[in-house]
Structure formats: C-alpha cells, structure tokens
Amino acid sequence: MASIMQRKKKDGTPYYTATVRARHQGEVVHSESRSFPHRYEAETWAAQRERELAYLPSSAPTNQPATHSPVHGRQRTATSLRTATSSQTATPSQVAPRWGMEQAEHATRGTSSAASTRKKPRASMGSPSAHILHHVPLLEDLIHRYIVEYDQTAPLGRTKRYDLVSLSRSRLAQIPADLIRTDHVIAHVRERRALSVSGATVKNDLIWLNAIFRYARFAWNVPVDPQVIQQSMEICRVERLTHRAKKRYRRPSREEMEILGSDFLQQAARRGGTPLYLLTWFAIYSCRRLSEICRMRLPDFDEENLVWKVDDLKHPEGSAGNEKWAWITPEALPVIHAAIRDIPRKGQEDRLFPVDSKTVSTLWTKKMRMLGIEDLHFHDLRHEGCSRLADAGWTIPEIQKVSLHESWASLQIYVNTSQTSPRNSKALGKPKPLADIPHFDPAAWEAAISTRAGRESTPAAERILRFTRKENR
C-alpha cells in the first residue's frame, strides 16, 4: 500500500512524498519513494509503481534486506528484486512514468544533477517486460500504435501527425492509459496554455485524445475510459481553456501587394526558380489552397468551359478520391497561359506548377520576413480571392463554384468584404474600387522573363566584362 506525506520546503512551498513498498511472505523486499510538487502526480506515480510491482514474479527471493532511500526523488531497488527481473529487458525503475519529473527535480534534496537529469529507458509495447510490467501501456505507446495503424489505410495529414507526435512527447503521455483522469488532462491543458499555446490548438490535443481513447477501447480492447476525455473537453470549454479557432480577417493591402509583386518580378528576372509571382496571382484568382495548386494537372483543365478538376480536395471525412470541378475566373487565364509558356518542365511533367508545396511555403515565410510584412500567410491569398469575388458582386453559390466550399458557414470564414465594397460604395456615393486594386501584369512578367532570358544567353566572359565596366564607372 502506498503512502503519501505532505511536507514543506524552506520557502514554505509544499511538496508530496509518495512511498511504495513491496512485501513477500510478510517481509518488505522493496521500498522506494519520490517527491512531487502536486499530490495528484504523487498518486499517479504510486499507483503505477504498485501496478508494476504487482506483476513481478511472486517467487522473489528474500535473502537480502530491502533498501529504501529517505532522500526525496531518489529510489533504490533491492538486489533481490533486480535479480528477479533480470530475465526481462527492463527493471521497474526503467519504465517509471516521467509525469511530474521536471517539477520533482526542483523539489529534490540531496540528489546530484547528473542523477536527476539522466534519461531512463523504457520498455516498448512489444517487449516482454512491457507485458509483465505494463498490463496497460502508456498513452505514448497508444499514440504510436494509432499512428502506425492509421497510416496503413490513409496517411495522416501533416497537421494531425505533428500534433500527435508532440502529444506523445508530453508528460501526460508518460502515464499508463487506464490511470489517466480528468485532472491529468486539465493539467496538461493548463501547461500548454501557460506556454502561450492558443486554446484552439490545445483543443486539437483533446480531439486527438478522444479519438485515440475510443479506438483503443473498442478496437484494441484496452481498458480505458473515453468519458474521461469527453468530460475534460466539457470542463475546458466551460472554463474557456479551449475555444474554437478565431476567424481570420487578414487581407493583403495594396501597398503589400505592390511590394510582393515588385520583389517576385525581380526574382524572376534574376534567377527564375520558384515562380512566386504567378503562384500568388493564381492563388488569388482561383481561390485554391497551396497543396491543391501544386497538384493541379494540365490534362484536367477544360479551357473551353473554364473548369478545372481538382483531385483530393480537402474534406473532413478524408481527401483521398474527393474530386470536384472548379470554376476558373477569366482573370486567371493570363496567369495559366504564362505558367504553361514560361515555366520549364522535365520529362512527362504535366502539372501547372511543378513545384513542391512545402518548398513554396518555406520560401513564402522567408520572403515575408525579409520584406518586413507581418502576419501574412500564403493561405490568406485564398481569403483575398473569395473576398474579391464578393466585392465584385458574385453571389454565394457562384463563389462556392470557384472555392468549392460546400456550405455558406465554411465559406463565410473566407469572405471578408472591404469597407469600400461596391454595395457600401453605392450607399456612400463612391466609385467601385475594383478597378483600383492590384492585378496580374502580363507585360511586367514578360519583361522579367525577357531580362532573364537575355542574361542567360549572354556568354559568361561578356557578362564579366559588363560587370567590370559598371564597377569602373
């Protein structure tokens, strides 16, 4: 039976010392203790250690006395206990949870820094010791198994995979899954919020936890309680620890569009590379996501009817095989023709933009930082395109044909009409602003391409001579 004692440090801060003892034939064969800043952490650690010790072989010898450490945070295992578990690949101390270990280091007295920071290996789900010492696996093991099984049917999205991997590295993931309570989950949420993580992002953690618990309970028959996560989600919602994602109203200004256009054209004239100028305007005119733009194939384009088939369109139930035809606005045609004519392609490449979406995203972020433009994402160009259509007087069903949103509720997030839209302008007696906003400039793009072509066709010796003449001037 574990005992938990509350004590105080010199500064008056309370901490809790949990002591666990194992008996064999009436004699104490093992004793260990550890201190934590919170009582629930001490209870969690003690409960797991009791579970681990209960699954040790019952024939443990008692010819050597048990040892225990009165020093907080340090545990010593008897030689007899280590001998009894030597046939397995891990000892009980090697699979102890890490929940609360960082705080415990601050409350530890008399423990060297090397011993307190040393990382202990743990047994994996497939090892023999995991079945003996862990009747129920750690949450971390469930997360890894969930990722592996999910990838066998449909690969995880980049955001979901990143969230799951981050969740598997949290302190919550080091608790046996069946011992997780609502206070553990809420403590995880509060820790994340204390690190300036938004409530919408933390809410994703709870959504993934709920999915893992339900899958583990009914698919793997693991004795976990999905209601623990559901109750935690409700408490976090009521206490406003989590919330829905806030609506984003960011649209590039006229000055920002001019800065972007000038820089992207200069890049195209100097060395080519990723055609950011064409990508920017096609994203605005087509209202497509970056990943979709980089997958759009030329054989799927019906120029006569101005429609384009978009493969694997994003959908809550899965994007694989979700194909739809999107309207192409007339403003997008010059961009498409320029991309077909001026972007080099290798072999049988049939994509409109033969570039990788991750490369474009990384380059966009670097450009925004270099140009001093704050908080402008590439996805905001999709907002800009939908909002321009609304400013131009397009109806909701017509905008949906371009953006391929299934409902007005989802499209409404992207439509942020300007304060000088045609309807507002009519009421104020002002002219329509659509002719005054920046647009794709085919002449500027052709001039940039011609400049680069002339530079590439000039012999290297002549380019060096021209550069030398400029320096002499």
Side-chain angles (χ1 to χ4, degrees):
M1 185 67 181
S3 62
I4 298 177
M5 181 179 298
Q6 179 180 353
R7 299 175 179 176
K8 290 186 179 181
K9 296 190 290 187
K10 292 182 179 180
D11 59 358
T13 304
Y15 66 93
Y16 300 86
T17 301
T19 303
V20 179
R21 294 183 177 89
R23 296 179 182 271
H24 182 72
Q25 297 179 359
E27 297 183 8
V28 177
V29 296
H30 175 72
S31 178
E32 57 180 309
S33 62
R34 181 169 292 174
S35 297
F36 299 87
H38 302 290
R39 187 180 186 89
Y40 70 87
E41 296 177 342
E43 292 175 350
T44 300
W45 176 81
Q48 191 214 3
R49 295 298 294 125
E50 286 184 328
R51 178 184 294 276
E52 293 171 353
L53 295 174
Y55 279 88
L56 288 174
S58 59
S59 59
T62 59
N63 55 352
Q64 296 191 21
T67 62
H68 64 89
S69 171
V71 182
H72 313 300
R74 181 181 299 175
Q75 60 181 20
R76 298 177 182 174
T77 308
T79 305
S80 60
L81 191 61
R82 292 197 301 267
T83 305
T85 58
S86 61
S87 59
Q88 289 84 36
T89 57
T91 62
S93 61
Q94 288 176 327
V95 290
R98 296 287 298 174
W99 179 261
M101 290 294 290
E102 291 81 359
Q103 286 88 340
E105 292 173 1
H106 299 288
T108 300
R109 292 183 298 179
T111 305
S112 63
S113 59
S116 61
T117 59
R118 185 164 52 248
K119 186 175 180 180
K120 298 179 176 63
R122 66 169 181 83
S124 62
M125 281 188 63
S127 65
S129 60
H131 294 287
I132 294 176
L133 302 180
H134 280 289
H135 183 60
V136 176
L138 302 179
L139 174 60
E140 178 185 6
D141 297 317
L142 296 184
I143 295 174
H144 288 286
R145 183 177 176 183
Y146 179 82
I147 294 175
V148 171
E149 292 196 7
Y150 200 100
D151 280 339
Q152 292 177 355
T153 55
L156 288 170
R158 183 174 60 176
T159 302
K160 185 175 181 179
R161 182 182 300 276
Y162 177 83
D163 289 346
L164 288 175
V165 172
S166 299
L167 186 60
S168 69
R169 296 171 180 170
S170 66
R171 296 193 300 145
L172 178 66
Q174 305 307 315
I175 304 179
D178 65 328
L179 297 181
I180 293 179
R181 304 192 305 263
T182 54
D183 54 337
H184 297 149
V185 180
I186 295 174
H188 168 78
V189 172
R190 290 190 178 277
E191 286 182 0
R192 294 272 282 162
R193 293 304 307 272
L195 297 174
S196 301
V197 180
S198 68
T201 302
V202 178
K203 185 179 179 181
N204 285 338
D205 288 357
L206 302 183
I207 293 175
W208 308 142
L209 281 174
N210 188 39
I212 292 172
F213 268 56
R214 285 189 291 106
Y215 194 82
R217 179 67 182 87
F218 301 108
W220 302 331
N221 200 26
V222 178
V224 294
D225 187 6
Q227 290 188 357
V228 170
I229 308 300
Q230 297 170 6
Q231 293 170 357
S232 302
M233 295 175 69
E234 178 64 19
I235 294 173
C236 292
R237 183 190 64 82
V238 173
E239 298 299 326
R240 298 184 180 180
L241 294 174
T242 60
H243 54 75
R244 291 184 177 181
K246 296 181 180 179
K247 292 184 178 180
R248 186 173 176 84
Y249 299 97
R250 182 71 162 92
R251 292 180 61 180
S253 64
R254 177 184 180 86
E255 292 74 16
E256 290 173 339
M257 291 300 301
E258 291 176 350
I259 293 174
L260 293 177
S262 176
D263 183 82
F264 294 165
L265 286 172
Q266 291 178 12
Q267 173 186 329
R270 289 194 307 269
R271 54 184 177 83
T274 305
L276 286 176
Y277 186 74
L278 297 181
L279 281 165
T280 298
W281 286 113
F282 186 76
I284 293 175
Y285 293 144
S286 65
C287 304
R288 301 258 59 79
R289 302 176 182 87
L290 176 58
S291 59
E292 297 168 357
I293 293 175
C294 295
R295 288 197 309 266
M296 296 176 71
R297 300 169 57 251
L298 294 174
D300 297 332
F301 178 41
D302 184 356
E303 186 171 359
E304 182 179 355
N305 297 311
L306 286 182
V307 291
W308 202 312
K309 186 177 70 172
V310 182
D311 297 329
D312 298 338
L313 194 68
K314 184 178 178 181
H315 194 274
E317 297 181 0
S319 58
N322 186 27
E323 301 177 352
K324 289 189 176 181
W325 290 88
W327 284 7
I328 299 298
T329 59
E331 293 82 0
L333 282 178
V335 183
I336 296 173
H337 294 158
I340 296 174
R341 181 184 66 248
D342 300 325
I343 296 180
R345 290 173 174 79
K346 297 180 181 179
Q348 301 297 323
E349 180 63 66
D350 60 354
R351 289 181 298 165
L352 177 63
F353 293 97
V355 293
D356 186 78
S357 59
K358 295 180 181 179
T359 302
V360 178
S361 179
T362 302
L363 183 58
W364 178 273
T365 303
K366 292 181 179 179
K367 283 288 187 181
M368 296 306 104
R369 189 183 301 113
M370 182 186 69
L371 298 175
I373 299 178
E374 299 180 355
D375 193 34
L376 182 62
H377 306 160
F378 190 92
H379 196 72
D380 293 332
L381 303 179
R382 178 171 163 89
H383 292 240
E384 174 69 12
C386 294
S387 301
R388 284 193 179 198
L389 296 178
D391 289 341
W394 286 49
T395 64
I396 293 175
E398 291 173 340
I399 299 176
Q400 287 179 280
K401 292 291 186 180
V402 178
S403 65
L404 297 182
H405 286 97
E406 293 187 349
S407 64
W408 163 241
S410 57
L411 175 61
Q412 189 178 14
I413 301 174
Y414 291 86
V415 176
N416 307 315
T417 56
S418 63
Q419 296 299 320
T420 57
S421 64
R423 295 178 181 178
N424 294 338
S425 301
K426 183 177 180 180
L428 297 175
K430 297 180 181 179
K432 294 183 179 182
L434 297 181
D436 192 43
I437 61 178
H439 284 279
F440 173 70
D441 190 347
W445 171 256
E446 291 178 4
I449 295 299
S450 300
T451 302
R452 187 183 70 195
R455 181 181 292 106
E456 292 176 351
S457 61
T458 304
E462 185 175 346
R463 292 201 303 268
I464 295 174
L465 181 60
R466 289 180 182 178
F467 178 78
T468 305
R469 290 173 179 173
K470 289 182 179 180
E471 291 294 324
N472 294 333
R473 292 177 184 175

